[in-house]
Amino acid sequence: MTIKKMFGSFLATAIIAVSAFGQNTTVIVTGNTAAGENQPGWLFNRDSTGAFSFNLGNASIGFGSLYVGPISSTPSDKFVGENFINTAIANVDSISYDFKIGSGGTVADADQFYMNVYANFGVSDDLKFYDCRYNVIPAAGSTTNFTTVTFDPTLAYDVTTRTTSPFPCPAIPANMDLASPGSNFRAFAINVGDSSNSDVGLNGFYDKVVVSTTGGSTTFDFEPVLTPTNKNQCKNGGWMTFNTPVFKNQGDCIQYVNTGR
């Protein structure tokens, strides 16, 4: 099977947007998918001007990835990609992501590619910023291959308790339900940088974020926007390589080029 056919078959079965997690779906992400804070989907650098883009190459799934950096000398410059999961802790089995350190860093920079998971006790508003922030920090990384980092709610993590939290935060996220049943994860965020000058020039890649729940799993595949600009690109299987939009066949692709719909 050719790469074009492989890519096209993959895109044809992928779901472009999703409002709930489950049933083993793959979602191609080419940019922001959430309508706003606490709405289902992704928001990238909504409070930052740091550089990032979706590019071909350096992929752990599909054919592209999310590229971050290089981080500037401005201390506040960093990258934050938020996904507003808003799901009961009891229903989340794991959250994982793949990262690769770019040429501007070394393996010692693995801890700069971390994830924060924002959780609220059952008695709190599910959409409160957070009661407990779990900090998932990689112990190792690579400049040549992707490294997978997995958050398991039944394991212990470094945790930050917010001053407005109704209870002390346990190291094990699942134990929040012991203090207050119905506790939830509001959001998680993948990050690059630490808001200091120690990360200047750092760059890298993210791909294959997987949210596994009791109802199934959702895999987020970061890809660039791929849209045909002339009908010849649709021929000889080319129609299968595009993701914005996804086409049913060659004729569908040619019609889009000719009419814009």
Side-chain angles (χ1 to χ4, degrees):
M1 181 178 286
T2 66
I3 290 178
K4 283 186 177 181
K5 289 183 178 179
M6 289 172 61
F7 193 30
S9 297
F10 177 73
L11 291 174
T13 58
I15 295 177
I16 302 304
V18 65
S19 60
F21 296 95
Q23 300 187 349
N24 302 323
T25 57
T26 296
V27 179
I28 294 175
V29 178
T30 60
N32 290 339
T33 61
E37 184 178 12
N38 294 325
Q39 299 299 310
W42 289 91
L43 287 181
F44 299 99
N45 266 13
R46 65 187 177 99
D47 296 321
S48 173
T49 58
F52 72 94
S53 58
F54 295 83
N55 300 327
L56 287 172
N58 289 289
S60 65
I61 184 175
F63 294 87
S65 61
L66 169 61
Y67 172 68
V68 178
I71 293 178
S72 75
S73 59
T74 302
S76 61
D77 187 18
K78 62 177 293 186
F79 169 80
V80 182
E82 303 166 279
N83 186 290
F84 302 101
I85 181 174
N86 195 18
T87 301
I89 290 176
N91 292 339
V92 177
D93 293 330
S94 65
I95 303 172
S96 67
Y97 65 92
D98 289 359
F99 78 97
K100 178 182 174 183
I101 303 167
S103 59
T106 69
V107 294
D109 292 309
D111 60 352
Q112 299 276 10
F113 293 79
Y114 58 96
M115 177 167 63
N116 296 128
V117 182
Y118 299 89
N120 288 308
F121 285 105
V123 296
S124 295
D125 185 339
D126 285 349
L127 301 184
K128 178 182 179 181
F129 185 32
Y130 72 89
D131 289 326
C132 308
R133 185 187 68 204
Y134 291 92
N135 308 306
V136 186
I137 303 172
S142 172
T143 59
T144 56
N145 299 297
F146 277 87
T147 300
T148 300
V149 179
T150 301
F151 169 75
D152 181 341
T154 66
L155 301 180
Y157 294 90
D158 175 72
V159 60
T160 301
T161 300
R162 200 162 178 234
T163 56
T164 58
S165 176
F167 307 101
C169 293
I172 298 174
N175 288 350
M176 289 179 67
D177 270 339
L178 299 179
S180 185
S183 298
N184 86 310
F185 291 131
R186 180 187 69 88
F188 66 89
I190 52 176
N191 308 268
V192 179
D194 58 8
S195 299
S196 76
N197 283 329
S198 67
D199 57 14
V200 175
L202 183 63
N203 62 342
F205 308 87
Y206 275 118
D207 205 6
K208 196 179 180 182
V209 178
V210 183
V211 179
S212 296
T213 71
T214 53
S217 66
T218 298
T219 299
F220 296 100
D221 173 21
F222 297 137
E223 298 286 350
V225 171
L226 298 172
T227 302
T229 57
N230 69 74
K231 64 182 182 181
N232 289 330
Q233 294 173 328
C234 300
K235 298 177 180 179
N236 300 316
W239 63 272
M240 292 185 286
T241 66
F242 301 107
N243 59 25
T244 309
V246 174
F247 301 110
K248 297 178 182 178
N249 50 48
Q250 178 175 301
D252 190 28
C253 178
I254 292 175
Q255 177 179 310
Y256 176 84
V257 173
N258 288 338
T259 67
R261 57 184 175 84

